[in-house]
Amino acid sequence: ERSFGSYSKNSSIVSVFSGRSNAEVYTGTRKQQHGFLWRKPFRKNALNQGSWKKSYFILYESFLVWYLRPPKTLFDINPAGCLPLGGCQVFPLGKLSGGYGFEITSTAFPPGHSLVLKCRELASTQMWIDQMITCQSATYENSTQGDRAINELNEKMKEDLNLRQLQKEAKRQADTVNQIKEDNVSTMEKHLDDIEANERQLSMILKQNEKLQSSVRKREKSAARKVKRISAVATRTEIAKQELKRLKSSFKTLEACADRVPFSQRKAFEEDLDKLKSLLDSVLKHRDDDLSWDEF
């Protein structure tokens, strides 16, 4: 894309267009409009040539300056382009694809050349046009003043740059010392944290060991009680077996005596024997050792 400077008729305007300028320096005034716009390449019949490119535009009282992205500092002297608005004319282009356009022309431009811009909203487009019309005051004197201001600014920037470099180096050394201190403190704190963590872990292990020992002692006592109960149950079971054997012996004795019972009472006697045998069977069935009548 060709520079505006190649079409200017004086050296001061060339310096303005070549990318060294800063509108804030030229006029010493505030910016009146700023934001993203879309532009066509600066060429003949620009509206129908090339593709749209998004740039960040800043409108000062007499200059239109643009960057590929918003500048980080106020005195950014490397814009992508700068246009003095003195002698320029601004025409609205109406609705375009993706927004509303306007065109900037000047007698200083080559024949048929113009700067075509586009904004998304109609209201914003009209605001840009109105502001540019009120800012058409850039003259040859403005530009020469701008050159002098740029030179003075460059000298001051060199001095400030040297001072900033010294300050930066001093800050770097101080930061290095502080970083070493912080690293040492951080290392010591980490060691202390590790020691405290080990102490807490050891304390937890000791507590768990105490709980395990207490649990083992409880289980040992519980097992001893169970053994004692089992022994007592076994003793009672043996005694019960002996008693049941004696009852069975007595029952057999009664059965043997059945023939001696008078005939009139024998039936009742046999029924009583059956009831007694059923009772003994029931007792044997409900015992834990599952003894049967025939085992006796």
Side-chain angles (χ1 to χ4, degrees):
E1 185 173 335
R2 301 176 65 184
S3 167
F4 282 115
S6 61
Y7 306 124
S8 179
K9 296 182 179 180
N10 60 71
S11 60
S12 297
I13 296 297
V14 170
S15 67
V16 172
F17 293 153
S18 63
R20 297 194 302 108
S21 62
N22 183 293
E24 188 78 26
V25 176
Y26 288 132
T27 61
T29 58
R30 62 182 178 83
K31 55 187 177 183
Q32 294 180 322
Q33 188 82 2
H34 61 95
F36 283 104
L37 295 175
W38 282 258
R39 61 185 176 87
K40 284 277 192 165
F42 179 74
R43 60 182 62 171
K44 190 174 182 179
N45 192 21
L47 181 60
N48 300 318
Q49 302 292 327
S51 58
W52 293 100
K53 292 185 178 180
K54 186 178 181 180
S55 299
Y56 191 83
F57 283 78
I58 301 177
L59 178 63
Y60 290 84
E61 288 193 355
S62 54
F63 292 91
L64 179 64
V65 186
W66 63 94
Y67 302 83
L68 298 181
R69 60 186 58 86
K72 295 182 179 179
T73 61
L74 177 63
F75 293 105
D76 187 339
I77 60 173
N78 293 290
C82 178
L83 173 63
L85 295 174
C88 291
Q89 292 181 309
V90 186
F91 301 96
L93 297 177
K95 177 69 174 177
L96 300 177
S97 176
Y100 299 85
F102 56 97
E103 183 179 22
I104 303 174
T105 63
S106 173
T107 56
F109 293 170
H113 285 63
S114 63
L115 179 63
V116 177
L117 303 175
K118 179 178 69 174
C119 188
R120 294 293 191 192
E121 296 82 17
L122 177 60
S124 299
T125 303
Q126 188 60 48
M127 186 178 298
W128 276 99
I129 294 174
D130 293 342
Q131 290 290 351
M132 287 183 186
I133 291 174
T134 60
C135 292
Q136 295 171 354
S137 60
T139 63
Y140 176 81
E141 183 180 356
N142 292 134
S143 299
T144 56
Q145 290 176 355
D147 276 344
R148 289 194 298 271
I150 287 294
N151 292 332
E152 293 174 0
L153 178 62
N154 284 335
E155 293 298 325
K156 185 175 183 304
M157 288 181 64
K158 290 179 181 178
E159 296 176 0
D160 292 342
L161 180 61
N162 292 332
L163 178 60
R164 285 197 298 270
Q165 288 177 343
L166 293 175
Q167 293 175 341
K168 184 177 180 180
E169 179 61 22
K171 184 178 182 301
R172 187 188 67 79
Q173 295 180 359
D175 290 342
T176 301
V177 173
N178 291 333
Q179 186 62 46
I180 293 173
K181 291 181 179 179
E182 291 177 1
D183 291 343
N184 292 336
V185 171
S186 178
T187 301
M188 293 179 62
E189 290 177 347
K190 184 177 184 303
H191 289 331
L192 291 174
D193 291 340
D194 291 341
I195 292 173
E196 291 178 355
N198 291 334
E199 289 178 348
R200 288 193 297 269
Q201 187 175 5
L202 180 60
S203 177
M204 291 176 60
I205 292 173
L206 291 175
K207 289 181 179 179
Q208 291 176 355
N209 187 41
E210 290 177 359
K211 290 181 179 180
L212 288 174
Q213 290 181 352
S214 176
S215 177
V216 168
R217 288 193 294 269
K218 290 180 179 178
R219 291 183 179 181
E220 288 176 348
K221 291 180 180 179
S222 176
R225 289 194 295 269
K226 288 181 179 179
V227 170
K228 188 175 180 179
R229 286 197 299 269
I230 291 171
S231 178
V233 169
T235 302
R236 290 196 298 271
T237 300
E238 186 61 29
I239 294 172
K241 284 182 179 180
Q242 297 299 327
E243 292 294 331
L244 287 172
K245 285 181 179 180
R246 284 195 293 272
L247 286 173
K248 186 175 182 181
S249 176
S250 298
F251 182 80
K252 289 182 177 180
T253 301
L254 290 174
E255 282 185 326
C257 296
D259 294 337
R260 301 177 187 177
V261 176
F263 182 79
S264 60
Q265 299 177 359
R266 188 174 296 174
K267 184 176 180 181
F269 180 77
E270 289 176 352
E271 290 178 355
D272 291 339
L273 286 177
D274 291 338
K275 290 179 181 179
L276 180 59
K277 184 177 180 181
S278 298
L279 179 61
L280 290 174
D281 285 337
S282 176
V283 172
L284 291 171
K285 184 182 297 184
H286 287 83
R287 290 188 54 79
D288 294 335
D289 45 13
D290 294 329
L291 294 174
S292 65
W293 175 265
D294 295 333
E295 292 182 51
F296 290 99

